[in-house]
Amino acid sequence: MANPTGWKPDLEAGAAPVAQEEVGLGHATRGLSFEEGLLFERGSRGRIGVSLPPRGNDGDPASEIPAALLRAEVEGMPEVGELEVVRHFTRLSSWNWGIDTGFYPLGSCTMKYNPKSSEALARLPGFAEVHPLAHPSMAQGALELMYRLERALSEISGFAATTLAPAAGAQGELCGLMLIRAYHVARGNPRKKVLIPDTAHGTNPASSALNGYQVVPVKSGEDGRLHPEAVRAAMDDDVAAIMITNPNTLGIFESHIAEIAEIVHAKGGLVYGDGANMNALLGMARPGDMGFDVMQFNLHKTFATPHGGGGPGSGPVAVKEQLLPFLPLPLVVREGERYRLVTDPAERPQTVGKLREFWGNFGMFVRAWALIRELGPEGLRRTAQLAVLNANYARALLKDTYDLPYATDSLHEVVFTDKNLKPTGVTTMDVAKRLIDHGFHPPTVYFPLVVHGALMIEPTETESKETIERFCAAMRAIAAEAAERPEAVKAAPVKPVRARLDETRAARKPVLRWTPDMKVE
Amino acid sequence: MANPTGWKPDLEAGAAPVAQEEVGLGHATRGLSFEEGLLFERGSRGRIGVSLPPRGNDGDPASEIPAALLRAEVEGMPEVGELEVVRHFTRLSSWNWGIDTGFYPLGSCTMKYNPKSSEALARLPGFAEVHPLAHPSMAQGALELMYRLERALSEISGFAATTLAPAAGAQGELCGLMLIRAYHVARGNPRKKVLIPDTAHGTNPASSALNGYQVVPVKSGEDGRLHPEAVRAAMDDDVAAIMITNPNTLGIFESHIAEIAEIVHAKGGLVYGDGANMNALLGMARPGDMGFDVMQFNLHKTFATPHGGGGPGSGPVAVKEQLLPFLPLPLVVREGERYRLVTDPAERPQTVGKLREFWGNFGMFVRAWALIRELGPEGLRRTAQLAVLNANYARALLKDTYDLPYATDSLHEVVFTDKNLKPTGVTTMDVAKRLIDHGFHPPTVYFPLVVHGALMIEPTETESKETIERFCAAMRAIAAEAAERPEAVKAAPVKPVRARLDETRAARKPVLRWTPDMKVE
Amino acid sequence: MRYHPHTEGDVREMLDAAGAKSLDDLFRSIPAPLRLNRPLEVPPPADEVTLLAELRRLAARNDAQHPPFVGAGAYPHHVPPAVDQLLLRGEFFTAYTPYQPEISQGTLQALFEWQTFVCLLTGLQVANASMYDGASATAEAALLATRVTGRSKVVVSAAVHPEYRKVLATYLRSSGDVIVTVPFGADGRTDLAALSAAVDEETAAVIVGYPNFLGVVDALPQAAAAAHAKGALCVSVTTEAVALGLLQGPGALGADVAVGTFQSFGNPVSFGGPAPGFFALREEHLRQMPGRVCGATVDKQGRRGFVLTLSTREQHIRRERATSNICTNAGLCALASTIHLALLGKQGLAELARVNYARGRVLTEAMARQGFRRAFSGPVFNEMAFEVGDAEAVVERLAGRGLAAGAPLGRFYPDDPKMKGALLCVATELHTPELIDLFAKAVRS
Amino acid sequence: MRYHPHTEGDVREMLDAAGAKSLDDLFRSIPAPLRLNRPLEVPPPADEVTLLAELRRLAARNDAQHPPFVGAGAYPHHVPPAVDQLLLRGEFFTAYTPYQPEISQGTLQALFEWQTFVCLLTGLQVANASMYDGASATAEAALLATRVTGRSKVVVSAAVHPEYRKVLATYLRSSGDVIVTVPFGADGRTDLAALSAAVDEETAAVIVGYPNFLGVVDALPQAAAAAHAKGALCVSVTTEAVALGLLQGPGALGADVAVGTFQSFGNPVSFGGPAPGFFALREEHLRQMPGRVCGATVDKQGRRGFVLTLSTREQHIRRERATSNICTNAGLCALASTIHLALLGKQGLAELARVNYARGRVLTEAMARQGFRRAFSGPVFNEMAFEVGDAEAVVERLAGRGLAAGAPLGRFYPDDPKMKGALLCVATELHTPELIDLFAKAVRS
Ligand SMILES: Cc1ncc(COP(=O)(O)O)c(C=O)c1O
Ligand SMILES: Cc1ncc(COP(=O)(O)O)c(C=O)c1O
């Protein structure tokens, strides 16, 4: 398909000439930046970046604490003034890429815009400074917010109730599997195995193993879907559950889900839903209506809570009635006009217990609730529709250039491969790095594992038509460049402060912290 | 003098090799950046970046307001979503230079660190959301803060009282001259002239003219100081006042100030102090003790209130007893435990009136007070001492390389020239631009006007010894480079997103706003 | 001290290099008798924890629980959190006037966008990079008019913000220019007959509010006609810039200069300051414009970029012959307005203005239900005066309930007895119908 | 909708390109019966003004006027505003796991600095890029010990945070590993006799708090000795990391693994989450470490840079054979801690710890003046339990006065009657002596 915006990607280092014609388009170029050493390599004895209240003359620790347990200072700590610290992190940040920097189509991670109003709200003293052990009468607002969020998540997913406790998606998986185990144990047999499609995310098998289950991979079909036969073949009385991501990591809806659920249920197994891709279904369909017995949310993806640098996340788990008794603590309940947390196992004798300290990542609850509140029913539905529209638009703009391993309909993301580039020697990794020079964050690469050289593109609903067009134009330009000048693609990226980094070396001679004699070259 | 840090400035485009040896030193290099068009060149009909409350069906403006005065929409406005706006300004900011980016020795501007805690404080709803016309009982905290700040500024400068009203230094000058005029008028003759040394900042003569005074320049001496003879020669009964910046814009203390004040006072004139350089005197000396009758502060300089992009400022004016009756309104007064604003001229019949709407730049008062409160008496004194130490250290490190037009002692800033570079054809402007490639903001250039090719360096007290050393090493490296490769210096800067800009063109064919058919090339 | 990076060792080495014996020795150029030989009498240093606690206590003594019902030049509006989070980026926040364009393109392009916004909203061709505030911008407009026309009389409507008129008087006192104030009628609009009578061949400018201080949409076209009939410039003054999302740009109605404040866009009321004054005018008067201005140009490689330009008008070049003495302006405030306007966009601005108009109606009706009628019959935007009996007493009483009630017009027009009972109130998107109703009832009792 | 940039025209063109008739048509792969054909039952959309007002009301119903006197795993500390203003920079805040190192050097170097800080404070050689929280980090430490030793028994002190022990139990339930809990003595320290008795050749790990849940500086060296005597690993758990500015690093005292939370550095209590769990251990166990880890390397041009490394331990490569299932961690919280620790530096950390110790003394004395003695005789840092009679009643009563009083230990040790009267309280740099005195008096009556 043609190039709707007529945007010209920039193949030389200096984007300027092109940029001039296309000034509106956030073209990549190079600008002034800074080398910045480690904190531990700067500063000078005696500097300080804080201003602390006086100690007063109340007691010398040595009179109470055994000398052997005391230290005068922590060796190696930097000594830097506030201005130097501000400059240090300001400069480090300038080497980074965030959603606020540009397009971030990292498949499976749903990198959508993180609303600024949510940040203002999470910082209100009434939220940020309330202690988890404060008397409930001092935290009614926090408890009501948790209650409303729990109700909304249960409704959105179509389940009876939701625990907000899990700290991230993977812990949500672990939690869900614990509930499944508890359910089976209550029926006299924990069972041994968990069925996991080959398209599944790595956390699925890892969470299963961590929960003492043996993982049985199930191959998905030519169409990228899981097929009833495959499940039927693998299903037996030792299978505790099947873990299904729907839509799956290929962005494909598991349309046989209902039948598969029947097969599993018929043998007494349960169906776990990995809800990381829930963004595709908001208001359009509910896992609870498809035969799933339990699923986790990834609030930090679907509900746009910031997780810079890798976290924090939040992985609430929603369940059907039969799993209610086993939910971890706490639960938030409403009693008349009051809200309280159920934390005493005596109230919930069958609970699997606690998954983390206190009540969950409350700061994320505030943000997720704020987004749900602003979107409302129509907005949630529209979110899924536009997320899917964007992925399908990208698919349409790229399918003639890149190999599409599965012709099946895509929902919120689409997976391509580097197959067409084989003759040029250019790989998925090279394409990813060259995209950086064009001013785009690369898609997720080499995942899912079932796809060789996968390029997994998830635009999310917060990106505009033009952005997707420019990204696809860059993708096509790279394919063209691969044919003419493969070495240029392989040399990428050339614009950031660092070229490709030697990952093998990092793993062979690990240097994982600063030491005075540290040398890396 | 040698190179204390042994820091090697970077003469090539890519700082990397050098940076590697000197990783701690915030070396300049190039990194990924973005071209970004104007807001008006992007977006698409129907996009919106805000979320507004419903209008309700309360009345159609057309039924009340004449149709001729209404418009359906403002033509040409952009239509952009919130994410696009966030990216737009995030990218624009990355082309900028702030104190948080690096060293900013812009002479006469006192670019010191702007405390982050002051920002947290100025944003407290109790400060940011209180209305200037709210009943005093609803604003006691704001009034007390203004009162305390007024007292502190009067003590720091050695005057009887201070008006917080002026919006910036220049308006402070205007205010001070109005007080002087009112004082003379009250004595029957406004007088005609104001004496201004040739080293003065442009706002001094401009403010004088704006206040109806004729400007009489006074030459300063070989030593960069104003001499009694010169003043005596120019002083007569038509002179309303003399405006003196002390230390002056050469960073030199006007040591004859007392005698000069006597000369002026003897002829019935008053002495105005331009307090823009107050940072040099905090806790060390007070203009009020030197013969000044009135002076303005530049809170945004001396007291670190942020003024990104050119403002806002705040220019409180302190006066001696004899000028009290003329102070502009409002005045903040304490009555027992209550505070109130005097706004009614009936209470102050001789007031010069009002200089700006409401009570002054209150947001700046909060920040300035916070800094004074944190520094205390010792901290204020230390501020001046270290500011002067830094300037003298820079002077010591550069005096063998760059021409020092005045051997006289320096206080908070030092002025060099490009004289020594004459043979190479490299000018002050070239040096300034080349400094950018080394990762430093250039000093103030070509000011004061009495110095040909001036390079005016004001490090401020918040900069470290190493930073000054690295800056001076870069300055010396540029001098060396000028001798060997002058064209390289003249080609600078090469690292930012833009090379030198054509200022003549900008002035010849002014393009001062976006228009649909705008073309700039 | 966290802001002073100098260790004792640093100080010693630096003193040696500078050839000074001690820190005090560095000040030897200050004659001993002029030195301060005692500590300053200011409070002792406060650590950050104490500092924040102390100022939080001060802030807590300002009652901001409800949005104020008073505008009168400072308008309570919603500022999207995105504005402040972008504004706080150090590269913007800790920069200064963009003297070095190669490393100031962010500030410069934003200023260029600000100038464009000002032009679009005012309907004029050029604008500067901001002024201190609306009042001094108004005074500078009058001065510009005297320079352009070579005349010395300024005719100003009594319905222009009284504080702006006070500042105008202060600025003009020394110039010998005369200020003639013309009254407004029962509709709150400038008395056009009186205006025409006042304008003559000596008149440099006619200044009217749009909307004016009484919240009334004044007769700008007629005022402009009266000015132009005698060769004077028409200056329009806008304090509530949101109104320009609903009203025609003053330039389109004959104003030659438009000034005021954009505080309503992105800037909190902050007890009255800071806020960005704006200044727009017809291209022909460009060389007389005060303040900084940003212009587009190209760099050595032909790439578009921005610089401060036309500086030959300014104090740092022209000194006593400059068009103004302004140097530092209100850059950050202008940036906040620019970001807010970018978020609003065409639809958002139009809608925000209509929401504000609608809330004004809600307030009018709520007050009517309590038996308070408007003091002026002219058309209004979101602000209007009501007859409430003793306005000062109402303000005092409502303060006790945490409500900033309004501006008693008697305070601004002390010589006009009719004004004693008039209370100028505002309603914006921040005032819900419920709160407005609560307010109206509170005014009643 | 401000977050949805699609105009109707965009949607139509995109649908055409995608060969779909309507937005719903894009979901044709979802069998009709599985689709939702009604609107979700969640509240209607709220505009930003309404949203902020509504959530401000909710926040106002949480009483945070005074710093809480309770820590128990979440400590009220001053967070310098510089931390949050840097944290909010979009390049950090809206990034994710640094999968593309060339454009993630900011995150990566900050993580490398975090890992270094964790190592310096714990006295161990390696650390990972953060865990969910202290509790799951403790559980992962136990699992690591079982992998390293091939043993299946975990001995844990009853003085380790009860919530951490609950999570430990939850994590180990399916593995068949046994958990043996050993009591603490009247001094609040782990009962060493009982500990030695419990540790045997089957023991994989000995887990003790440092300081422990009772605020007491436990006998870590002896516990480590007991563990090592039987070839077990010693795991130290720290919830109040500020203590490590005063106490020896656990690694220096024999701990093989140190876990806990750095919430105290740069992270508000936020009703219990999020906060950065930390995980440090001896180099020899590196390959068994859970979670992400950042390492230094060079780029093609030989310039130093950072990458995520040793990923062969992780789920995305190893899947069911991974050392842990953790993927998303607590990156931003770790960054906040890193910035705060950078500001503190060597002196600041030492001083902050000593201020906290001193405030603990002030609290002890204030409580003593009111006749409340410490419940345990062991040495403490800034947290300690007092005998107050009915602890739950005190907490309820003080809530009425806006004071979060403390953690009633009876709630955490229901089976131990001695605990009923014990109230665990904390005092930090946020608690002024005046406030502490007010608190102690309030506890009295
Ligand atoms: C499909 C899928 N499942 C599970 C996860 C794990 O979620 P988290 O990273 O929040 O633990 C992710 C995200 O990484 C994912 O993409
Ligand atoms: C010496 C001097 N005087 C006066 C001023 C004017 O102050 P302001 O820019 O705040 O109007 C300045 C700053 O530009 C200055 O450096």
Side-chain angles (χ1 to χ4, degrees), chain B residues 36-39 41 46 49 53 55 58 64 68-73 75 78 88-89 92-93 95-100 104 109 111 115 117 119 123 126 128 130-132 138-139 141-142 144 155 170-171 178 181 200 202-203 205 207 209-211 257 280 284-286 306-308 310-312 352 354-358 361-363 373-374 376-378 381-383 385 388 390 393 396 409 433 461-463 465 490 497-502 506-507 511-514 520, chain C residues 2-4 6 8 13-14 17 24 27-28 34 36 38 40-41 43-46 48 54 58-59 61-63 70-72 74 84 88-97 100-107 109 112-113 115-116 120-121 124-125 132-135 163-164 167 170-171 173-174 244 246-249 268-274 295-300 303-304 307 309 315 319-320 325 328-329 332 343 345-347 351 354 357-358 361-362 374 379-380:
Chain B
E36 180 73 3
L38 293 162
L39 279 167
E41 293 166 326
R55 190 190 304 191
D58 287 283
E64 175 171 6
L69 302 188
L70 292 172
R71 59 179 155 182
E73 56 184 25
E75 255 325 306
H88 178 73
F89 289 100
L92 290 194
S93 75
W95 299 341
N96 244 24
W97 186 287
I99 299 159
D100 289 1
Y104 207 135
C109 296
M111 298 300 284
S117 39
E119 296 317 310
R123 283 162 178 73
V130 60
H131 195 281
M138 298 178 77
E144 179 175 342
E155 162 68 6
Q171 201 183 33
M178 285 172 173
R181 172 179 275 280
T203 50
S207 300
L210 181 53
N211 200 29
I257 182 64
M284 299 298 301
R286 311 193 306 166
H307 42 287
V352 296
K354 291 208 90 223
L355 273 150
R356 53 156 295 140
E357 60 213 45
F358 303 122
N361 282 343
F362 179 77
R373 192 69 189 80
E374 178 156 353
E378 309 75 10
R381 187 180 168 86
R382 183 96 176 156
T383 294
Q385 291 175 326
V388 170
N390 279 355
Y393 191 52
D409 285 354
K433 299 306 183 189
E461 73 282 1
T462 60
E463 297 294 339
K465 176 168 175 286
K490 293 196 152 300
V497 288
R498 289 294 179 270
R500 283 193 214 191
L501 290 133
D502 184 343
V511 178
L512 308 179
R513 59 169 287 191
W514 168 85
V520 184
Chain C
R2 59 176 168 164
Y3 306 140
H4 295 163
H6 302 68
E8 282 318 316
E13 288 170 44
M14 294 167 81
D24 283 352
F27 293 80
R28 60 201 158 213
L34 301 190
L36 182 69
R38 61 161 176 87
L40 286 168
E41 287 170 6
E48 193 180 49
E54 184 176 300
L58 272 184
R61 290 177 47 218
N62 302 320
D63 188 341
V70 53
D84 193 50
L88 269 175
R89 289 181 59 82
E91 301 89 333
F92 279 136
F93 208 72
T94 65
Y96 194 23
T97 308
Q100 297 288 341
E102 300 84 359
I103 48 173
S104 308
Q105 286 299 302
T107 290
Q109 183 168 328
F112 190 84
E113 293 177 339
Q115 289 169 186
T116 304
L120 293 174
L121 268 66
L124 284 161
Q125 294 92 41
Y132 299 139
D133 62 353
E163 295 232 320
Y164 285 35
V167 174
T170 314
Y171 265 72
R173 182 167 305 112
S174 64
L244 299 179
L246 175 67
L247 303 179
Q248 264 301 348
V269 289
S270 187
F271 206 49
T297 183
V298 296
D299 78 352
K300 275 187 168 180
R303 296 172 296 191
R304 183 177 76 187
V307 295
T309 188
Q315 47 75 25
R319 302 185 66 91
E320 62 269 29
N325 69 329
T328 291
N329 50 31
L332 274 177
L343 288 166
K346 186 182 279 182
Q347 277 189 32
E351 186 56 25
R354 281 152 183 80
Y357 176 79
R361 301 285 318 173
V362 174
R374 279 197 196 162
V380 299

Side-chain angles (χ1 to χ4, degrees), chain A residues 55 64 71 144 358, chain D residues 61 121 163 304 351 357:
Chain A
R55 190 191 304 191
E64 175 173 7
R71 58 177 155 182
E144 178 175 344
F358 303 122
Chain D
R61 290 178 45 220
L121 268 66
E163 295 233 321
R304 184 176 76 187
E351 186 58 25
Y357 176 80

Side-chain angles (χ1 to χ4, degrees), chain A residues 108 168-170 173 201 203-204 245 249 274 276-277 296 298 300-301, chain D residues 96 132 327-328:
Chain A
S108 206
E173 297 169 20
H201 189 264
T203 50
N204 291 192
T245 310
T249 61
D274 178 338
N277 294 343
Q296 104 278 355
N298 287 34
H300 47 301
K301 298 174 180 184
Chain D
Y96 194 24
Y132 299 139
C327 178
T328 291

